[in-house]
Amino acid sequence: MKLRRLATLGVAALCVCVLAGGSALAAGEEIVVKTQMMAPTANPTNLGPQYNNWIDHSTAGTISAEVLIYPTCLKLVNYDEDTDAPVPEAATAMPTVSGGGTIYTFTIATGHRFSDGEPVTAESFRWAIDRAITISPLVAALMPDVVDVTAAGNTLTVTLSAPAGDLVSRLGMSHFCATPSSAPAAFSEAPLAAAGPYYIQSASVSEIVLARNPNYGGTRTQNLGTIRWRPLAAVAADEEWNADYVFSPLGSFTPPAGMTTFSTAATGVEMLFLNTTRAPFSSETARRAVAYAIDRNALAVTDSYVPPLAATDTFLSPLMPGAVDHDVYPLDGSGQATAVSLLGGTTPAVALCYPFGRESAVAAIESQLEAVGFQVTSTGYMPVAFFNTVVPNSLLCDLRLLTINPPYPDPAGLLPRLFHGGSVGIANWSFFDDATFNARLDAANATTDESARLAEYALLDHDLALAAPVVAIGFRSFRDIVSSRIGCTSTSRARHGGFALNRLCIEVSETAPPGGTVSTGGDATPAAPLQSSVTVPDDGESREVSITQGISDASVQPSFALLEQQLDVSVEPAGTVAEPLVLAFELDASVLAAAGIGIADVVVYRNGDPVADCTNPGGTSAEPDPCVASRTTQADGDGLVIVRTSAASRWNFGGGRGRGPFEPVSAQPAVNTMKAGRTVPVKFALGGDFGLNVFEAGYPRSEGGTCGGPADSIETTSTNSSGLQYDATTGTYQYNWKTQSSWKGQCRVLILRLTDGQEIRASFKFN
């Protein structure tokens, strides 16, 4: 078995709207994310629901901003990316609650750092909370009960004026990402250091660049290298098709061939707000007539909603904890006879206001309401005017059609904002102010028993729908469009919509004909430094091939560093030893040069085990199975590794020079001093377990040397005389070298020559 010299190669993972650049780990696949949402603005006071700033997380509250900020954010408590369950992130555990439900105490874990190297402490979160509340009136309105936040060492304490069961969910908003001490007290127009998997490396109105945080200490995935977030023109030109992920384009956007469209469920609700301050909707009877008249199923599929809504008659999305599927009104319009009866022959005249873009939905609503007796006049507005002027003015409209997105995934983030009298002017655009419901909403969130709290909110969801100050139409979804090479798509209720940028990866799935090849792309480049392909046997049988490329999560020996790139390859049916699959891995010359090695030094791992060289490199079979058939340097300097294997599995890569010796022995030019006659443990690593036949014939051996280097006394010796050993726990070899008593006063050099010709040397002086 031929050994390979081992060292770190700086290949990072992939990206969305991504190009290489920035941090030392940023080299990776280029993928581009584009959005039709607003580009960043330097105006921190522009806090309308669609125009928040995207750069400073304290004010970044829109859906698109959340998709962008999420991968940069380290939170006290986050949502598990696979189960959506609340889990500690920066905190060591969920908070302890005392003071009758008014004092929340978090312990911050050590090991988290910002992208500029600053450690994350309790102060990072105290500053985040204080700063966001001070900068943003909207954030302050979400945290009116926070009376004190203190930090002492790694202990963070949040004190409330009254019990609030939703505090943990509120603290999970991106406004409260860990914030560095360098962040200004005012809004920052420059990107801040971040403690999440990524950080904003640069930002302009044409592009926001996210790079991998080299100091990230958490467990969330970093599948991408650099993420470039760019605006998508309203009518895409040819160059606009150059995107790997398009988030939430307008309904008129037609994706090019080769891209796949997904509908991502969200917690936002499309609703008709009924003005309860004046007739006819000061009357519950008239309000319920609207709720019965609306055909929600028909509205959900109008051209105004791409993708379609999920029709609903209540307000809590199934993504919300405690949500119950109530049946308060018919969804199909079959309640129109009841609506006619409730109106009792009256024909109220009502004014409907809406933002431009909902014309088809408005036409349907007009038709449905007029069918039961309402006389409807509709007026459309530009979105800015609608949200800033029309919506807050109780004198202008009787019905307002709009979407409300809860700022955090908890019933308390939606129902009190929609219906509590104290929320008039914030999100209560029906101006509903009922003393009984106000008291019930206050009591619900003050309930310290979580099950009881959620049960009361579920009941309120039903009863408020019945009172009908607001008529729910449907839950919103987002349209996510990805190119054929994008995989690892993942959503979370914590993000309201959109894919998790940090989890996206390159994924290619194709049917390969006999002898055919499936590849991740063309030649390797500095921006896409690893390309791979699978060639199936030419045995008359087609095979399903899937290649998923992302960041390595392999558990390997701590003495050896892997390339950061990982491949999960699936081929059905598998090959055989005689007719194996042939895998080709091309590494760009830039990553090899950065590590100071050649392709001959790269080690390939399958499922964590190093792959040996083929015993028949000129043949076609996999002997042993798997085996490396060749390592060659291409004309452009790129390296190419060919592997034969009967099965696909998971593949990782490492490279570098043989490492060692390790303590207690120091490498040259140091001179190790020790007593002659003792046995010294000489430790080194080769990147895995290559068996015990790793030395060239005639080695190890020692020869006379000089003692010119700095002295380094050996305090640890060994009584073990079993020669060479391998420790799988540490990933290191140990050669127990028995010295001679006659060497007292001599200087000697120990030489460990490996079977690939590499040498590990150490100098000794004996006393």
Side-chain angles (χ1 to χ4, degrees), residues 17 21 27-28 83 88 117 164 242 281 316 343 433 513 534 585 587 621 658 675 700:
C17 179
T83 68
N242 182 26
F281 298 131
L316 295 182
L343 287 180
D433 192 357
V534 177
F585 306 115
L587 286 165
S621 61
K675 186 175 181 179

Side-chain angles (χ1 to χ4, degrees), residues 378-392:
S378 300
T379 305
Y381 296 85
M382 293 297 292
V384 172
F386 179 72
F387 287 108
N388 291 349
T389 304
V390 177
V391 169

Side-chain angles (χ1 to χ4, degrees), residues 379-470:
T379 305
Y381 296 85
M382 293 297 292
V384 172
F386 179 72
F387 287 108
N388 291 349
T389 304
V390 177
V391 169
N393 192 334
S394 63
L395 301 177
L396 287 178
C397 311
D398 299 299
L399 302 103
R400 295 164 173 79
L401 180 64
L402 68 150
T403 294
I404 293 293
N405 297 294
Y408 53 96
D410 189 278
L414 184 64
L415 296 184
R417 300 178 74 232
L418 293 180
F419 301 109
H420 197 288
S423 294
V424 171
I426 298 175
N428 181 350
W429 304 124
S430 65
F431 312 101
F432 184 65
D433 192 357
D434 181 274
T436 300
F437 277 116
N438 288 346
R440 288 181 62 187
L441 289 165
D442 288 338
N445 208 42
T447 303
T448 56
D449 180 270
E450 182 68 356
S451 297
R453 185 179 77 90
L454 295 178
E456 176 58 18
Y457 273 125
L459 184 58
L460 277 164
D461 189 31
H462 172 276
D463 294 350
L464 286 163
L466 199 62
V470 180

Side-chain angles (χ1 to χ4, degrees), residues 549-735:
Q549 189 166 320
I551 195 69
S552 174
D553 60 4
S555 175
V556 298
Q557 301 87 349
S559 62
F560 178 63
L562 289 176
L563 292 179
E564 292 175 328
Q565 206 74 297
Q566 174 172 286
L567 294 172
D568 284 287
V569 182
S570 172
V571 180
E572 293 294 337
T576 64
V577 171
E579 295 188 80
L581 310 170
V582 178
L583 279 57
F585 306 115
E586 183 176 356
L587 286 165
D588 187 69
S590 62
V591 295
L592 298 173
I597 61 172
I599 192 64
D601 305 319
V602 171
V603 176
V604 180
Y605 291 81
R606 189 184 78 170
N607 297 335
D609 296 322
V611 177
D613 290 348
C614 296
T615 56
N616 59 338
T620 59
S621 61
E623 298 179 39
D625 182 21
C627 65
V628 176
S630 64
R631 297 175 178 83
T632 57
T633 300
Q634 309 294 87
D636 59 2
D638 292 349
L640 182 65
V641 180
I642 304 296
V643 172
R644 302 178 198 149
T645 178
S646 63
S649 309
R650 173 166 293 183
W651 303 86
N652 298 96
F653 311 90
R657 307 187 185 282
R659 301 181 64 182
F662 302 133
E663 291 186 356
V665 176
S666 298
Q668 292 179 333
V671 176
N672 300 276
T673 61
M674 62 174 292
K675 186 175 181 179
R678 291 188 175 179
T679 298
V680 59
V682 182
K683 299 179 181 181
F684 59 96
L686 301 176
D689 184 359
F690 287 89
L692 299 182
N693 295 319
V694 298
F695 293 132
E696 189 173 293
Y699 291 86
R701 76 180 188 191
S702 70
E703 57 188 32
T706 63
C707 299
D712 191 353
S713 176
I714 292 180
E715 299 179 358
T716 301
T717 55
S718 173
T719 58
N720 190 324
S721 59
S722 58
L724 186 64
Q725 301 170 315
Y726 180 76
D727 186 341
T729 302
T730 62
T732 57
Y733 282 90
Q734 178 173 313
Y735 172 65

Side-chain angles (χ1 to χ4, degrees), residues 14-21 26 29 31 209-211 224-228:
L14 323 174
C15 10
V16 178
C17 179
V18 181
L19 299 173
E29 282 288 343
I31 67 176
V209 180
L210 272 63
L224 311 175
T226 307
I227 301 174
R228 295 188 185 271

Side-chain angles (χ1 to χ4, degrees), residues 9 25 35 99 181 316 370 377 397 441 525 606-607 643:
L9 297 186
L25 300 177
T35 177
S181 59
L316 295 182
E370 290 176 347
T377 301
C397 311
L441 289 165
T525 67
R606 189 184 78 170
N607 297 335
V643 172

